[in-house]
């Protein structure tokens, strides 16, 4: 049994006080990765040398009596769509295989400055497009709870890394649920912050008006710690909110007394597995028991969220992915003319789901179809924002399932793209509105696999959201407690 | 087919076809891209510099590296608004859009531009000839990198491969879209001159066609005089100088008239000007128009300059060429379209001229000097009071035009007063009694010739006038005024009769 | 009401997106994209007259930066990642079309 604590907060305390060295914490986690990641495949790249250097630097600061930072010595995994200078960043795509960015993403700079020890780049659905990590060009990641099942996606690697104990915390990205859904499927905490709270500079873009970077962890407090370290204004991102990082740890224990929580009607009915719905109701009861007022609320436009999302996100993606043309970096397949080279490169370099979404997005924007598809989707987005506004007039937080089902088996949904897209019905509306949301583990399903419940808050409502999450965490049934 | 400059109904220029005798009108709308004179690029902190080593002024943003994001340069907005207001546009809340297409000099394979909501809209520019050219819009967009074609002939067709430099990628541009109000190649060139003057005056751009900081594309069509419908237009590109602009419009107009007169239709297309061959050529034909799939740029937020900012720009606006011409023409009592007025403003000598007129100098004479005798350095530092003095001396007959020119040149160099210089050069105001004395002396010296002059016929008188004038000029070292000499000779002759 | 997505639509879109598709792929994608668009009919058939579009979740305007130089990237580091380089420039095969 390892003597290394399992949470970031505990590790930080131990390293800062000199009880543990960052080096021994790191070696412990590296050996776990070594033993198990062959099967799990959470990592595209383990940064052994870089991590050892970072750990040594932390230990040197502690020895010199300097402040080693709020994440001192904590191993942290980075989704492989976050730019790390000089270290391959692939988006799990052949088209970027081997590409070494000449710069660090803002969040990478911030976690490094905070003393975290970046331990590796994690696997994802190619270019963050997917809900199972089966779309990775480097093979799927397996759910640590049941290796015959998917970990969810697109941040499957980051979720699995935390669930498997390879790192106490990790960073992922969420465009339509890509942090929250794998968090739910793997039984860990996953948070999508308010759009604009965390800088996107250095996050390889999928859908610019929807993407956000956020934390995975085993505890609510660890996600609060990590989010505090990465959030806050960045002048290199025009969509960054001009405010400092919120203070979350402080208010974590304030409870939910008097808070009004709404169960979203449209997301509790058809399409949600009964065992998942049951856990959500159980979570609602837990909040009531803790002093919250739970009611039901309708957010009608949420029903259109999936369609609007699958027009807006691919449209932006089709444009964001145009730059992968074999000219300046990444894969190139040679041809006599540049246009042919572009096409040959992209055809060989992109996987099927990426191609599908590029074409869907190109079509939605094209002349003659813009108004019917993309144009309308932007209006649906307005309806969703308005419906949320109405809901938040009467409620402080909303409660829904995170994923309609528990983790499914490999290959279950790959034949029919639409069936895969339906995984996101609960998570998508908050991306469209730009609101924060998080998934908290809350017991198991009828198959024993983890269930996550989702808390939603209005823009900049992270602190309230985390308070409720802490209550749910405390009340959560054990995973192996049988559902009845 | 002759190209004449005959104004019809006082306004339009026409092309008269030798073949059919029909009168055709040329209709030109110019699209001008100018690079803004900012320190850094549009969306990043890379230097906005021409001529540096390839790929040295680049960063993740202007290279479009994965994960990079744009942030709008404050000074771009300032200069774009200055330019817009100088063109009498209204400044509107605006957004940025992506124009999507693949081309290797485009790092992101989309260009960030402004599509349906540009920052400046609905202005105009007044030409020296009095024409008002409408400005549809002047919007902000990013420049591309530069391709160099290698192998083959060095031009794009027949090249084996190309090399790309991204120093220019992300440089801020304003695209000025002029309405089709231009009617003649010369007018087009004047429009560009005027635009350049505005760009330089406002500091928005250094506007050098030869460096690519000013690029002109011409939309050219023709129609019969009297026809109100616009003909099919062709866009002409690759115009690298004003001369090319004029030649290309003329060529294209002839080409279109020839086609139409033989019963063919004009194909709407992009054509490239071939300076060497003196003709336009069709671009590579595409089966369908490119679909750019414009949508609002999600990595940027909307732009809504405050009323205070716009007011500050208006308050700080320097006098623009049209207004300067108006002021000078009024003060000098001449038409605003006078060449001398246009030149005075072009040379930045209008302030000098105005001050000289205010100091008592005759307006028309001042302008003549400016146009013909003040084209070099230092002219702008002339003292207006002394300049006015010179003009007065000249008009008073104490200096000939030639002498005045010489004195003026010396004034520019030494800054001294005209009467001092004139004295030094021996151009002294020859007073009439002194001149009369010299004339009388010469008459006394040549009594026989004088007798012949007084009594001879016209032919003899003319010859002898020349004889005496020559002697007088020699005696006065050319300082005598020809008219005064003739008057004195005539009056002496009259006295002797 | 929108027409069903055709094979020609998909072929044209693939061309715009610089993707080469085999016949089999064209058919498969036409089928799959058609299904997604059918699902999106719920949006396409909504009457949304008078509803303004939301291009962006944030109400930000006028985000600007000052006009002074910030260090860029090292040219050699960037060129070292390029597929083909000549004379300190990125090398590409023959470009046939003109700049639009």
């Amino acid at each position: 049994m390892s003597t290394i604590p399992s949470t970031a907060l505990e590790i930080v305390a131990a390293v800062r006080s000199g009880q543990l060295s960052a080096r021994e914490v790191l070696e412990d986690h590296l050996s776990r990765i070594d033993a198990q990641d062959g099967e799990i495949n959470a990592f595209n790249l383990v940064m052994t040398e870089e991590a050892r250097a970072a750990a040594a630097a932390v230990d040197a600061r502690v020895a010199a009596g300097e402040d080693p930072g709020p994440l001192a010595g904590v191993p942290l995994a980075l989704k492989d769509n976050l730019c790390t200078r000089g270290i391959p960043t692939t988006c799990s795509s052949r088209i970027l295989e081997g590409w070494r960015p000449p710069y660090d993403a803002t969040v990478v700079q911030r976690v490094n400055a905070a003393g975290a020890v970046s331990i590796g780049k994690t696997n994802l659905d190619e270019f963050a497009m997917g809900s199972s990590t089966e779309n990775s060009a480097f093979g799927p990641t397996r759910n640590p709870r049941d290796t015959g099942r998917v970990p969810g996606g697109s941040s499957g690697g980051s979720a699995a890394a935390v669930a498997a104990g390879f790192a106490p915390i990790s960073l992922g990205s969420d465009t339509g649920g890509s942090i929250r859904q794998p968090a739910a499927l793997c039984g860990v905490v996953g948070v999508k912050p308010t759009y604009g709270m965390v800088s996107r500079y250095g996050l390889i873009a999928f859908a610019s008006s929807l993407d956000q970077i956020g934390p995975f962890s085993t505890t609510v407090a660890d996600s609060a710690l990590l989010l505090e370290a990465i959030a806050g204004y960045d002048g290199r991102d025009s969509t960054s909110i001009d405010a400092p990082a919120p203070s979350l740890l402080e208010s974590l224990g304030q409870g939910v007394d008097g808070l009004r929580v709404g169960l979203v009607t449209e997301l509790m009915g058809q399409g949600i597995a009964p065992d998942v719905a049951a856990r959500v109701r159980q979570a609602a009861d837990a909040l009531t028991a803790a002093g919250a007022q739970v009611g039901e609320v309708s957010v009608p436009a949420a029903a259109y969220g999936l369609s609007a999302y699958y027009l807006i996100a691919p449209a932006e993606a089709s444009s964001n992915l145009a730059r992968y043309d074999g000219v300046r970096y990444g894969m190139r397949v040679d041809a006599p003319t540049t246009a042919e080279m572009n096409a040959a490169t992209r055809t060989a370099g992109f996987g099927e789901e990426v191609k599908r979404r590029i074409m869907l997005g190109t079509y939605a924007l094209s002349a003659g179809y813009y108004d019917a598809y993309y144009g309308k989707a932007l209006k649906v987005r307005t309806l969703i924002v308005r419906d949320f506004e109405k809901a938040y007039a009467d409620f402080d937080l909303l409660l829904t399932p995170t994923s309609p089902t528990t983790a499914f088996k490999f290959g279950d949904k790959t034949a029919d793209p639409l069936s895969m897209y339906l995984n996101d019905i609960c998570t998508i509306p908050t991306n469209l509105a730009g609101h924060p949301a998080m998934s908290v583990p809350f017991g198991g399903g009828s198959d024993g696999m983890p269930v996550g419940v989702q808390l939603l808050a209005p823009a900049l409502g992270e602190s309230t959201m985390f308070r409720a999450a802490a209550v749910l965490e405390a009340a959560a049934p054990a995973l192996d407690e049988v559902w009845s | 087919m002759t190209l004449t400059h005959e104004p019809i109904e006082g306004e339009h220029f026409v092309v008269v076809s030798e073949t059919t005798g029909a009168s055709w009108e040329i209709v030109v709308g110019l699209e001008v891209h100018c690079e803004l004179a900012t320190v850094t690029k549009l969306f990043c902190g890379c230097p906005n510099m021409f001529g540096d080593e390839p790929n040295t002024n680049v960063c993740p943003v202007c290279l479009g590296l994965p994960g990079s994001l744009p942030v709008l340069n404050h000074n771009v907005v300032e200069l774009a608004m200055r330019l817009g207001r100088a063109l009498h546009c209204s400044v509107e809340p605006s957004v940025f859009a992506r124009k999507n297409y693949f081309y290797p000099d485009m790092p992101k394979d989309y260009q960030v531009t402004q599509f349906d909501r540009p920052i400046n809209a609905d202005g105009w520019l007044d030409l020296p000839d009095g024409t008002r050219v409408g400005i549809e819009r002047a919007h902000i967009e990013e420049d591309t990198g530069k391709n160099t074609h290698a192998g083959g002939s060095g031009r794009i067709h027949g090249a084996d491969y190309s090399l790309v430099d991204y120093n220019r990628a992300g440089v801020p541009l304003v695209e000025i879209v002029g309405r089709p109000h231009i009617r003649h190649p010369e007018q087009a060139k004047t429009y560009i001159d005027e635009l350049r003057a505005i760009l330089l005056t406002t500091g928005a751009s250094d506007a050098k066609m030869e460096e690519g900081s000013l690029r002109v594309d011409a939309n050219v069509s023709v129609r019969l005089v009297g026809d109100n419908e616009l003909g099919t237009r062709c866009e002409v590109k690759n115009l690298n100088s004003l001369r090319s602009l004029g030649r290309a419009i003329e060529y294209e107009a002839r080409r279109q008239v020839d086609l139409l007169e033989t019963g063919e239709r004009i194909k709407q297309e992009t054509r490239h000007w071939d300076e060497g061959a003196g003709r336009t050529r069709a671009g590579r034909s595409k089966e369908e128009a490119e679909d750019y799939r414009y949508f609002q740029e999600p990595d940027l937020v909307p732009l809504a300059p405050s009323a205070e900012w716009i007011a500050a720009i208006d308050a700080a606006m320097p006098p623009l060429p049209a207004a300067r011409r108006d002021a000078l023409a009024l003060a000098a009592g001449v038409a605003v379209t006078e060449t001398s007025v246009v030149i005075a403003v072009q040379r930045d000598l209008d302030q000098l001229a105005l001050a000289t007129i205010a100091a008592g100098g005759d307006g028309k004479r001042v302008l003549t000097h400016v146009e013909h005798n003040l084209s070099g350095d230092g002219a702008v530092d002339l003292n207006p009071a002394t300049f006015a003095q010179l003009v007065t001396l000249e008009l008073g007959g104490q200096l000939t035009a030639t002498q005045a020119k010489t004195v003026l040149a010396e004034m520019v160099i030494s800054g001294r007063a005209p009467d001092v210089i004139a004295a030094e050069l021996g151009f002294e105001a020859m007073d009439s009694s002194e001149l009369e004395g010299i004339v009388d002396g010469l008459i006394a010296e040549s009594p026989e010739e004088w007798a012949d002059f007084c009594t001879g016929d016209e032919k003899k008188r003319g010859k002898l006038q020349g004889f005496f004038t020559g002697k007088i000029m020699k005696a006065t070292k050319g300082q005598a005024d020809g008219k005064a000499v003739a008057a004195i000779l005539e009056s002496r002759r009259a006295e002797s009769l | 009401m929108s027409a069903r997505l055709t094979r020609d639509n998909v072929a044209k879109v693939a061309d715009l997106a610089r993707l080469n598709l085999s016949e089999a792929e064209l058919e498969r994608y036409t089928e799959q994209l058609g299904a997604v668009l059918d699902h999106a009919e719920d949006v396409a058939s909504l009457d949304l007259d008078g509803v303004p579009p939301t291009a962006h979740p944030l109400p930000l305007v006028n985000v600007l930066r000052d006009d002074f130089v910030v260090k860029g990237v090292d040219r050699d580091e960037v060129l070292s990642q390029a597929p083909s380089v000549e004379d300190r420039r990125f090398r590409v095969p023959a470009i046939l079309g003109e700049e639009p």
Side-chain angles (χ1 to χ4, degrees):
Chain A
M1 208 53 195
S2 175
T3 55
I4 309 290
S6 61
T7 72
L9 273 175
E10 289 168 301
I11 290 171
V12 168
V15 168
R16 287 174 74 97
S17 67
Q19 270 185 292
L20 278 176
S21 71
R23 178 64 188 250
E24 53 191 312
V25 173
L26 172 65
E27 294 304 327
D28 180 65
H29 288 86
L30 285 174
S31 59
R32 284 186 231 173
I33 292 170
D34 204 43
Q36 295 176 281
D37 197 46
E39 191 189 9
I40 304 291
N41 195 35
F43 288 96
N44 287 344
L45 175 73
V46 180
M47 293 157 55
T48 314
E49 290 320 307
E50 292 85 359
R52 284 183 174 145
V58 169
D59 288 333
R61 298 221 310 258
V62 172
E66 290 161 17
D67 183 351
L71 295 176
V74 182
L76 180 149
L78 296 164
K79 186 174 183 181
D80 203 15
N81 60 358
L82 291 167
C83 285
T84 42
R85 184 176 181 181
I87 294 169
T89 302
T90 68
C91 296
S92 288
S93 175
R94 296 239 170 268
I95 216 167
L96 275 181
E97 200 170 2
W99 179 60
R100 294 170 190 265
Y103 75 106
D104 279 323
T106 296
V107 295
V108 171
Q109 287 180 336
R110 288 183 180 180
V111 297
N112 288 345
V117 176
S118 294
I119 200 171
K121 307 300 291 294
T122 59
N123 197 15
L124 58 150
D125 282 297
E126 187 180 359
F127 281 105
M129 299 182 192
S131 309
S132 66
T133 313
E134 288 169 291
N135 293 326
S136 166
F138 307 135
T141 298
R142 300 184 175 280
N143 192 318
R145 311 280 180 198
D146 176 346
T147 55
R149 296 175 190 255
V150 304
S154 64
S155 313
S158 282
V162 167
F166 297 155
I169 50 176
S170 67
L171 286 178
S173 69
D174 189 312
T175 306
S178 289
I179 290 176
R180 294 161 285 159
Q181 185 255 18
L185 268 51
C186 289
V188 296
V189 176
V191 183
K192 184 202 86 72
T194 305
Y195 182 88
M197 176 171 283
V198 178
S199 170
R200 290 184 298 117
Y201 187 77
L203 169 66
I204 297 177
F206 160 16
S208 316
S209 74
L210 302 165
D211 293 344
Q212 270 292 279
I213 298 166
F216 285 97
S217 59
T218 55
T219 65
V220 171
D222 277 358
S223 274
L225 176 69
L226 181 50
L227 185 52
E228 281 183 9
I230 60 173
Y233 176 69
D234 179 15
R236 289 179 295 188
D237 177 353
S238 294
T239 61
S240 174
I241 295 173
D242 192 0
S247 151
L248 300 167
L249 278 171
E250 246 175 35
S251 50
L252 212 48
Q254 281 175 13
V256 295
D257 200 34
L259 278 184
R260 304 159 301 164
V261 180
L263 276 164
V264 178
T265 318
E266 288 79 10
L267 298 176
M268 284 294 282
Q270 173 202 31
I272 307 298
D275 52 350
V276 170
R279 288 298 187 198
V280 177
R281 289 206 181 80
Q282 201 181 359
D285 292 342
L287 290 171
T288 307
Q293 288 164 30
V294 176
E296 280 215 14
V297 67
S298 173
V299 183
Y304 298 104
L306 194 79
S307 298
Y309 174 83
Y310 278 100
L311 292 170
I312 294 172
E316 293 183 7
S318 69
S319 180
N320 283 329
L321 268 62
R323 70 193 67 200
Y324 304 105
D325 58 10
V327 174
R328 292 161 294 281
Y329 42 80
M331 175 194 273
R332 175 188 289 196
V333 175
D334 263 306
T337 69
T338 292
E340 289 170 313
M341 182 276 283
N342 296 149
T345 300
R346 292 161 66 80
T347 305
F350 286 141
E352 204 173 293
E353 183 63 33
V354 169
K355 286 181 191 167
R356 198 159 24 236
R357 297 202 195 189
I358 288 175
M359 288 195 291
L360 185 54
T362 306
Y363 182 74
L365 287 174
S366 59
Y369 300 106
Y370 179 102
D371 289 330
Y373 292 116
Y374 184 74
K376 280 216 166 158
L378 293 184
K379 296 183 175 194
V380 165
R381 193 172 191 169
T382 305
L383 295 182
I384 290 174
V385 170
R386 287 179 182 171
D387 280 357
F388 271 124
E389 262 166 34
K390 286 192 209 126
Y392 285 123
D394 299 324
F395 293 91
D396 303 301
L397 295 172
L398 303 179
L399 182 67
T400 74
T402 304
S403 168
T405 65
T406 56
F408 42 91
K409 295 196 160 65
F410 285 105
D412 262 5
K413 297 185 195 273
T414 47
D416 176 12
L418 200 50
S419 71
M420 187 69 85
Y421 299 166
L422 287 167
N423 281 304
D424 300 328
I425 50 174
C426 300
T427 46
I428 274 171
T430 44
N431 295 88
L432 289 168
H435 294 165
M438 64 192 286
S439 182
V440 181
F442 207 81
S446 56
D447 53 10
M449 290 300 289
V451 171
V453 299
Q454 183 179 224
L455 287 164
L456 294 73
L460 300 175
E462 273 81 352
S463 138
T464 313
M465 185 174 76
F466 268 82
R467 281 162 52 192
V471 167
L472 287 179
E473 179 178 53
L479 182 56
D480 53 9
E481 181 195 282
V482 171
W483 167 75
S484 55
Chain B
M1 182 230 309
T2 358
L3 201 68
T4 66
H5 294 226
E6 286 161 17
I8 283 233
E9 288 155 18
E11 292 303 323
H12 295 159
F13 298 110
V14 296
V15 170
V16 178
S17 167
E18 270 171 356
T19 331
T20 66
S23 293
W24 292 87
E25 189 172 60
I26 312 176
V27 176
V28 178
L30 295 178
E31 280 172 24
V32 179
H33 287 82
C34 38
E35 287 181 5
L36 293 179
T38 55
V39 175
T40 60
K41 293 184 179 182
L42 178 50
F43 295 126
C44 66
C46 287
N48 176 7
M49 284 279 261
F50 175 80
D52 281 347
E53 284 293 296
N55 292 307
T56 49
N57 294 329
V58 295
C59 76
V61 178
C62 55
L63 282 173
L65 295 187
S68 61
L69 293 172
V71 185
L72 182 56
N73 181 342
H74 180 279
N75 201 18
V76 168
V77 182
E78 166 76 24
L79 294 181
M81 289 202 288
R82 277 194 216 171
L83 177 51
R85 295 300 285 161
L87 294 172
H88 310 102
C89 293
S90 60
V91 173
E92 303 290 325
S94 62
V95 296
F96 288 89
R98 293 189 185 180
K99 179 181 182 184
N100 298 281
Y101 64 98
F102 285 87
Y103 208 73
D105 64 7
M106 299 239 297
K108 302 183 289 290
D109 290 305
Y110 60 83
Q111 180 198 31
V112 180
T113 177
Q114 295 191 303
F115 181 57
D116 53 359
R117 293 170 61 197
I119 184 170
N120 297 308
D122 295 326
W124 69 87
L125 187 158
D126 286 332
L127 298 183
D129 71 6
T131 308
R132 173 162 287 191
V133 180
I135 305 283
E136 188 185 309
R137 50 191 279 154
H139 67 257
I140 298 168
E141 63 184 30
E142 61 178 338
D143 208 347
T144 65
K146 276 192 99 138
N147 295 328
T148 328
H149 307 298
S153 61
R155 285 180 25 246
I156 192 171
H157 298 292
D160 292 330
Y161 60 96
S162 292
L163 300 176
V164 193
D165 169 19
Y166 293 105
N167 278 354
R168 200 183 68 178
V171 160
L173 299 175
V174 168
E175 177 177 348
I176 303 165
V177 181
R179 296 192 194 275
H181 295 163
I182 291 172
R183 292 285 173 270
H184 191 276
E186 288 308 308
Q187 231 183 17
K189 290 158 77 173
T190 307
Y191 174 87
I192 298 301
D193 272 336
E194 194 72 6
L195 196 52
R196 278 204 76 228
I198 289 174
L199 288 166
L200 291 168
T201 304
T202 55
S205 172
D206 65 9
K208 295 181 183 165
M209 276 179 96
E210 68 278 14
E211 278 184 12
S213 54
L214 188 75
R215 297 167 223 165
V216 183
D217 299 326
N219 290 300
V220 183
S221 66
V222 295
R223 64 184 175 190
L224 286 165
V225 172
D227 194 348
N228 286 327
E229 294 282 308
L230 288 172
T232 305
R233 66 169 199 260
C234 289
E235 186 182 17
V236 182
K237 295 172 98 83
N238 195 39
L239 304 166
N240 296 322
S241 66
L242 283 184
R243 182 166 174 267
S244 296
L245 173 63
R247 290 180 73 205
I249 291 172
E250 184 174 331
Y251 175 88
E252 184 60 19
R254 287 173 196 251
R255 185 190 76 88
Q256 292 189 14
V257 169
D258 282 345
L259 275 174
L260 290 170
E261 287 193 333
T262 56
E264 302 203 29
R265 280 174 52 249
I266 306 296
K267 187 169 160 207
Q268 179 169 353
E269 61 189 354
T270 300
R271 298 182 67 86
H272 296 267
W273 173 247
D274 181 338
E275 177 68 32
R279 51 164 295 181
T280 62
R281 294 179 194 284
R284 197 171 192 82
S285 72
K286 290 180 220 184
E287 291 185 3
E288 295 159 19
E290 184 88 44
D291 179 2
Y292 295 118
R293 288 156 279 132
Y294 289 97
F295 69 102
Q296 186 171 329
E297 168 61 83
D299 288 329
L300 291 170
V301 299
L303 192 55
S306 67
E308 287 76 28
W309 193 355
I310 300 170
I313 283 173
D314 287 346
M317 185 70 68
L320 297 173
R324 289 161 66 186
R325 286 193 298 268
D326 285 346
L328 182 55
L330 185 67
V334 301
V336 75
T337 50
E338 279 288 321
T339 309
S340 57
V341 170
V342 176
I343 288 178
V345 170
Q346 276 176 355
R347 292 189 189 152
D348 285 326
L349 294 176
D350 49 316
Q351 286 307 304
L352 170 67
L354 284 170
T356 306
I357 292 167
D362 171 77
K364 292 195 181 68
R365 201 67 213 140
V366 168
L367 286 180
T368 305
H369 276 297
V370 169
E371 181 181 354
H372 295 291
N373 301 331
L374 291 179
S375 55
D377 291 331
V380 73
D381 297 322
L382 262 177
N383 180 312
T386 56
F387 189 8
Q389 235 186 343
L390 172 75
V391 167
T392 306
L393 285 174
E394 187 188 352
L395 284 179
Q398 285 109 323
L399 288 174
T400 64
T402 321
Q403 290 172 339
K405 177 175 175 153
T406 311
V407 171
L408 186 57
E410 180 55 35
M411 282 167 70
V412 171
I413 294 169
S414 66
R416 295 180 296 150
D419 49 354
V420 171
I421 296 170
E424 204 167 89
L425 291 174
F427 289 173
E428 266 188 320
M430 188 145 285
D431 68 42
S432 37
S433 59
E434 195 189 334
L435 181 58
E436 282 174 41
I438 291 173
V439 171
D440 289 339
L442 288 169
I443 289 173
E445 268 179 26
S446 315
E448 282 166 23
E449 287 83 352
W450 180 247
D452 280 341
F453 174 72
C454 290
T455 57
D457 60 27
E458 220 184 295
K459 194 165 161 199
K460 206 161 199 183
R461 266 212 310 278
K463 244 180 105 178
L464 285 165
Q465 174 146 348
F467 167 78
F468 277 107
T469 307
K471 280 197 166 244
I472 291 162
M473 284 307 182
K474 196 166 164 195
T476 61
K477 300 191 186 66
Q479 312 297 338
D481 180 46
K483 287 204 208 83
V485 165
I488 295 171
L489 285 171
E490 187 48 40
S491 104
R492 288 291 182 273
R493 190 183 77 84
E495 279 168 21
S496 74
L497 291 173
Chain C
M1 224 30 204
S2 52
R4 235 277 173 169
L5 183 71
T6 66
R7 187 195 160 286
D8 279 346
N9 292 143
V10 179
K12 188 163 148 200
V13 152
D15 189 56
L16 276 176
R18 294 279 205 266
L19 292 170
N20 297 328
L21 299 183
S22 66
E23 269 309 309
E25 283 170 318
L26 257 182
E27 286 222 20
R28 188 168 74 240
Y29 285 130
T30 306
E31 181 61 43
Q32 291 172 339
L33 294 181
V36 176
L37 289 169
D38 281 349
H39 187 275
E41 272 309 305
D42 60 349
V43 159
S45 57
L46 279 174
D47 177 12
L48 296 169
D49 266 354
V51 178
T54 297
H56 221 269
L58 279 181
L60 289 176
V61 277
N62 293 342
V63 173
L64 302 169
R65 63 170 178 87
D66 291 330
D67 189 17
F68 58 79
V69 175
V70 174
K71 186 169 180 294
V73 282
D74 180 61
R75 172 172 72 182
D76 292 331
E77 196 175 350
V78 166
L79 290 179
S80 73
Q81 296 296 299
S84 178
V85 172
E86 180 177 305
D87 192 26
R88 300 150 305 161
R89 293 175 175 86
F90 297 85
R91 179 177 160 148
V92 295
I95 304 168
L96 285 193
E98 281 104 21
E99 180 101 48

